[in-house]
Short mmCIF file of all heavy atoms in Angstrom, two decimals:
data_model
loop_
_atom_site.label_atom_id
_atom_site.label_comp_id
_atom_site.label_asym_id
_atom_site.label_seq_id
_atom_site.Cartn_x
_atom_site.Cartn_y
_atom_site.Cartn_z
N LEU B 1272 72.38 164.50 63.39
CA LEU B 1272 72.60 165.94 63.20
C LEU B 1272 72.97 166.25 61.76
O LEU B 1272 72.51 167.24 61.19
CB LEU B 1272 73.70 166.43 64.15
CG LEU B 1272 73.31 166.51 65.63
CD1 LEU B 1272 74.48 166.95 66.48
CD2 LEU B 1272 72.14 167.46 65.83
N LEU B 1273 73.78 165.38 61.17
CA LEU B 1273 74.20 165.59 59.79
C LEU B 1273 73.00 165.52 58.84
O LEU B 1273 72.83 166.37 57.95
CB LEU B 1273 75.25 164.56 59.41
CG LEU B 1273 76.02 164.81 58.12
CD1 LEU B 1273 76.79 166.11 58.20
CD2 LEU B 1273 76.99 163.66 57.83
N LEU B 1274 72.15 164.54 59.04
CA LEU B 1274 70.95 164.38 58.20
C LEU B 1274 70.01 165.56 58.39
O LEU B 1274 69.48 166.11 57.43
CB LEU B 1274 70.22 163.07 58.54
CG LEU B 1274 70.89 161.80 58.00
CD1 LEU B 1274 70.12 160.57 58.43
CD2 LEU B 1274 70.98 161.85 56.48
N LEU B 1275 69.84 165.96 59.65
CA LEU B 1275 68.99 167.09 59.96
C LEU B 1275 69.49 168.35 59.26
O LEU B 1275 68.72 169.10 58.64
CB LEU B 1275 68.99 167.31 61.48
CG LEU B 1275 67.96 168.32 62.02
CD1 LEU B 1275 66.56 167.77 61.87
CD2 LEU B 1275 68.25 168.63 63.48
N SER B 1276 70.79 168.55 59.34
CA SER B 1276 71.40 169.72 58.72
C SER B 1276 71.22 169.69 57.21
O SER B 1276 70.90 170.69 56.57
CB SER B 1276 72.89 169.76 59.09
OG SER B 1276 73.57 170.69 58.31
N LEU B 1277 71.40 168.51 56.63
CA LEU B 1277 71.25 168.33 55.19
C LEU B 1277 69.82 168.63 54.75
O LEU B 1277 69.56 169.25 53.72
CB LEU B 1277 71.62 166.89 54.83
CG LEU B 1277 72.10 166.62 53.41
CD1 LEU B 1277 73.37 167.40 53.13
CD2 LEU B 1277 72.35 165.13 53.22
N PHE B 1278 68.89 168.20 55.58
CA PHE B 1278 67.48 168.40 55.31
C PHE B 1278 67.11 169.89 55.38
O PHE B 1278 66.35 170.40 54.57
CB PHE B 1278 66.67 167.59 56.34
CG PHE B 1278 65.19 167.77 56.23
CD1 PHE B 1278 64.48 167.21 55.17
CD2 PHE B 1278 64.49 168.50 57.19
CE1 PHE B 1278 63.11 167.38 55.07
CE2 PHE B 1278 63.13 168.67 57.09
CZ PHE B 1278 62.43 168.12 56.02
N LEU B 1279 67.71 170.59 56.34
CA LEU B 1279 67.37 172.00 56.55
C LEU B 1279 68.05 172.91 55.55
O LEU B 1279 67.46 173.86 55.07
CB LEU B 1279 67.77 172.42 57.97
CG LEU B 1279 66.90 171.87 59.10
CD1 LEU B 1279 67.50 172.21 60.46
CD2 LEU B 1279 65.48 172.41 59.01
N ASP B 1280 69.31 172.64 55.26
CA ASP B 1280 70.06 173.57 54.43
C ASP B 1280 71.27 172.87 53.80
O ASP B 1280 72.24 172.59 54.46
CB ASP B 1280 70.51 174.76 55.29
CG ASP B 1280 71.08 175.89 54.44
OD1 ASP B 1280 71.56 175.60 53.33
OD2 ASP B 1280 71.06 177.02 54.92
N LYS B 1281 71.14 172.61 52.52
CA LYS B 1281 72.18 171.84 51.84
C LYS B 1281 73.50 172.60 51.78
O LYS B 1281 74.56 172.05 52.02
CB LYS B 1281 71.70 171.52 50.42
CG LYS B 1281 72.11 170.12 49.97
CD LYS B 1281 71.42 169.79 48.65
CE LYS B 1281 72.09 168.63 47.99
NZ LYS B 1281 71.51 168.39 46.66
N GLU B 1282 73.40 173.90 51.44
CA GLU B 1282 74.62 174.71 51.30
C GLU B 1282 75.39 174.79 52.61
O GLU B 1282 76.60 174.67 52.65
CB GLU B 1282 74.25 176.12 50.82
CG GLU B 1282 74.08 176.23 49.32
CD GLU B 1282 75.23 175.59 48.54
OE1 GLU B 1282 76.38 176.03 48.78
OE2 GLU B 1282 75.01 174.67 47.73
N ARG B 1283 74.63 175.00 53.68
CA ARG B 1283 75.25 175.16 54.98
C ARG B 1283 75.93 173.86 55.42
O ARG B 1283 76.98 173.86 56.06
CB ARG B 1283 74.20 175.55 56.01
CG ARG B 1283 74.76 176.37 57.14
CD ARG B 1283 73.64 176.78 58.04
NE ARG B 1283 73.30 178.17 57.79
CZ ARG B 1283 73.04 179.05 58.77
NH1 ARG B 1283 73.07 178.65 60.02
NH2 ARG B 1283 72.73 180.28 58.50
N THR B 1284 75.32 172.73 55.06
CA THR B 1284 75.91 171.44 55.39
C THR B 1284 77.22 171.24 54.65
O THR B 1284 78.20 170.75 55.20
CB THR B 1284 74.92 170.30 55.03
OG1 THR B 1284 73.66 170.61 55.60
CG2 THR B 1284 75.41 168.98 55.58
N LYS B 1285 77.22 171.68 53.39
CA LYS B 1285 78.45 171.61 52.60
C LYS B 1285 79.55 172.42 53.28
O LYS B 1285 80.69 171.98 53.40
CB LYS B 1285 78.20 172.17 51.20
CG LYS B 1285 78.12 171.10 50.12
CD LYS B 1285 78.17 171.78 48.75
CE LYS B 1285 77.32 171.05 47.73
NZ LYS B 1285 76.94 171.92 46.62
N GLU B 1286 79.15 173.62 53.72
CA GLU B 1286 80.07 174.51 54.41
C GLU B 1286 80.61 173.83 55.69
O GLU B 1286 81.81 173.86 55.98
CB GLU B 1286 79.33 175.82 54.75
CG GLU B 1286 80.07 176.80 55.64
CD GLU B 1286 81.27 177.43 54.94
OE1 GLU B 1286 81.39 177.25 53.72
OE2 GLU B 1286 82.07 178.10 55.63
N ALA B 1287 79.69 173.18 56.41
CA ALA B 1287 80.09 172.49 57.65
C ALA B 1287 81.12 171.40 57.36
O ALA B 1287 82.13 171.27 58.06
CB ALA B 1287 78.86 171.89 58.34
N LEU B 1288 80.89 170.64 56.29
CA LEU B 1288 81.80 169.55 55.97
C LEU B 1288 83.15 170.10 55.50
O LEU B 1288 84.20 169.51 55.77
CB LEU B 1288 81.19 168.63 54.90
CG LEU B 1288 80.03 167.79 55.41
CD1 LEU B 1288 79.42 166.96 54.29
CD2 LEU B 1288 80.47 166.87 56.55
N ARG B 1289 83.09 171.25 54.82
CA ARG B 1289 84.33 171.88 54.39
C ARG B 1289 85.15 172.31 55.61
O ARG B 1289 86.35 172.09 55.68
CB ARG B 1289 84.02 173.09 53.50
CG ARG B 1289 85.15 173.53 52.61
CD ARG B 1289 84.79 174.81 51.86
NE ARG B 1289 84.37 175.87 52.77
CZ ARG B 1289 85.22 176.60 53.52
NH1 ARG B 1289 86.50 176.40 53.41
NH2 ARG B 1289 84.76 177.51 54.33
N ILE B 1290 84.47 172.91 56.59
CA ILE B 1290 85.15 173.32 57.82
C ILE B 1290 85.75 172.09 58.52
O ILE B 1290 86.90 172.11 58.96
CB ILE B 1290 84.16 174.03 58.79
CG1 ILE B 1290 83.67 175.34 58.17
CG2 ILE B 1290 84.83 174.30 60.13
CD1 ILE B 1290 82.51 175.97 58.92
N ALA B 1291 84.96 171.01 58.59
CA ALA B 1291 85.42 169.79 59.24
C ALA B 1291 86.68 169.26 58.57
O ALA B 1291 87.66 168.90 59.23
CB ALA B 1291 84.31 168.73 59.20
N TRP B 1292 86.67 169.25 57.26
CA TRP B 1292 87.81 168.74 56.49
C TRP B 1292 89.06 169.59 56.74
O TRP B 1292 90.15 169.08 56.99
CB TRP B 1292 87.46 168.69 55.01
CG TRP B 1292 88.62 168.34 54.14
CD1 TRP B 1292 89.27 169.17 53.28
CD2 TRP B 1292 89.27 167.07 54.04
NE1 TRP B 1292 90.30 168.49 52.67
CE2 TRP B 1292 90.32 167.20 53.11
CE3 TRP B 1292 89.06 165.83 54.67
CZ2 TRP B 1292 91.16 166.14 52.79
CZ3 TRP B 1292 89.91 164.78 54.34
CH2 TRP B 1292 90.93 164.94 53.41
N ASN B 1293 88.87 170.94 56.70
CA ASN B 1293 90.00 171.84 56.94
C ASN B 1293 90.60 171.64 58.32
O ASN B 1293 91.82 171.62 58.48
CB ASN B 1293 89.56 173.30 56.78
CG ASN B 1293 89.46 173.67 55.32
OD1 ASN B 1293 90.02 173.00 54.47
ND2 ASN B 1293 88.71 174.73 55.04
N LEU B 1294 89.73 171.51 59.31
CA LEU B 1294 90.21 171.29 60.69
C LEU B 1294 91.03 170.01 60.76
O LEU B 1294 92.11 169.96 61.34
CB LEU B 1294 89.02 171.18 61.64
CG LEU B 1294 88.36 172.46 62.12
CD1 LEU B 1294 87.10 172.14 62.89
CD2 LEU B 1294 89.32 173.24 63.00
N LEU B 1295 90.50 168.98 60.14
CA LEU B 1295 91.15 167.67 60.20
C LEU B 1295 92.54 167.73 59.55
O LEU B 1295 93.53 167.28 60.13
CB LEU B 1295 90.28 166.63 59.49
CG LEU B 1295 90.76 165.18 59.55
CD1 LEU B 1295 90.57 164.63 60.95
CD2 LEU B 1295 89.99 164.30 58.57
N VAL B 1296 92.59 168.32 58.36
CA VAL B 1296 93.87 168.40 57.64
C VAL B 1296 94.88 169.25 58.42
O VAL B 1296 96.06 168.93 58.48
CB VAL B 1296 93.64 169.00 56.23
CG1 VAL B 1296 94.97 169.31 55.56
CG2 VAL B 1296 92.85 168.00 55.39
N ASN B 1297 94.39 170.32 59.03
CA ASN B 1297 95.29 171.19 59.77
C ASN B 1297 95.84 170.56 61.03
O ASN B 1297 96.94 170.87 61.46
CB ASN B 1297 94.57 172.49 60.15
CG ASN B 1297 94.66 173.49 59.03
OD1 ASN B 1297 95.71 173.64 58.42
ND2 ASN B 1297 93.56 174.16 58.74
N ILE B 1298 95.05 169.69 61.64
CA ILE B 1298 95.46 169.16 62.93
C ILE B 1298 96.27 167.86 62.77
O ILE B 1298 97.04 167.49 63.63
CB ILE B 1298 94.22 168.94 63.84
CG1 ILE B 1298 94.60 169.15 65.30
CG2 ILE B 1298 93.59 167.59 63.64
CD1 ILE B 1298 94.82 170.57 65.66
N LEU B 1299 96.07 167.17 61.65
CA LEU B 1299 96.66 165.84 61.50
C LEU B 1299 98.19 165.79 61.68
O LEU B 1299 98.68 164.92 62.41
CB LEU B 1299 96.26 165.25 60.14
CG LEU B 1299 96.09 163.73 60.12
CD1 LEU B 1299 95.14 163.25 61.20
CD2 LEU B 1299 95.58 163.26 58.76
N PRO B 1300 98.96 166.71 61.08
CA PRO B 1300 100.42 166.63 61.26
C PRO B 1300 100.85 166.74 62.72
O PRO B 1300 101.64 165.91 63.19
CB PRO B 1300 100.95 167.81 60.45
CG PRO B 1300 99.90 168.07 59.44
CD PRO B 1300 98.61 167.75 60.11
N SER B 1301 100.31 167.73 63.45
CA SER B 1301 100.75 167.86 64.84
C SER B 1301 100.20 166.72 65.69
O SER B 1301 100.82 166.30 66.66
CB SER B 1301 100.34 169.22 65.41
OG SER B 1301 98.97 169.39 65.31
N PHE B 1302 99.06 166.22 65.29
CA PHE B 1302 98.48 165.07 65.99
C PHE B 1302 99.40 163.85 65.87
O PHE B 1302 99.74 163.19 66.85
CB PHE B 1302 97.11 164.78 65.37
CG PHE B 1302 96.39 163.63 66.00
CD1 PHE B 1302 95.86 163.75 67.27
CD2 PHE B 1302 96.23 162.44 65.32
CE1 PHE B 1302 95.19 162.70 67.86
CE2 PHE B 1302 95.55 161.37 65.90
CZ PHE B 1302 95.04 161.51 67.17
N LEU B 1303 99.85 163.58 64.65
CA LEU B 1303 100.76 162.45 64.41
C LEU B 1303 102.07 162.64 65.16
O LEU B 1303 102.59 161.71 65.77
CB LEU B 1303 101.05 162.34 62.91
CG LEU B 1303 100.18 161.36 62.14
CD1 LEU B 1303 100.54 161.39 60.67
CD2 LEU B 1303 100.38 159.94 62.69
N THR B 1304 102.60 163.87 65.12
CA THR B 1304 103.86 164.15 65.80
C THR B 1304 103.77 163.81 67.29
O THR B 1304 104.65 163.15 67.84
CB THR B 1304 104.22 165.65 65.66
OG1 THR B 1304 104.29 165.95 64.28
CG2 THR B 1304 105.54 165.96 66.31
#
Side-chain angles (χ1 to χ4, degrees):
Chain B
L1272 288 177
L1273 193 61
L1274 284 178
L1275 189 69
S1276 168
L1277 205 62
F1278 177 73
L1279 288 173
D1280 190 335
K1281 218 171 164 185
E1282 277 311 303
R1283 208 176 258 222
T1284 310
K1285 254 192 215 158
E1286 172 69 10
L1288 289 177
R1289 201 185 54 77
I1290 295 169
W1292 173 251
N1293 282 341
L1294 279 172
L1295 185 72
V1296 170
N1297 274 318
I1298 212 73
L1299 213 53
S1301 56
F1302 181 71
L1303 265 177
T1304 303

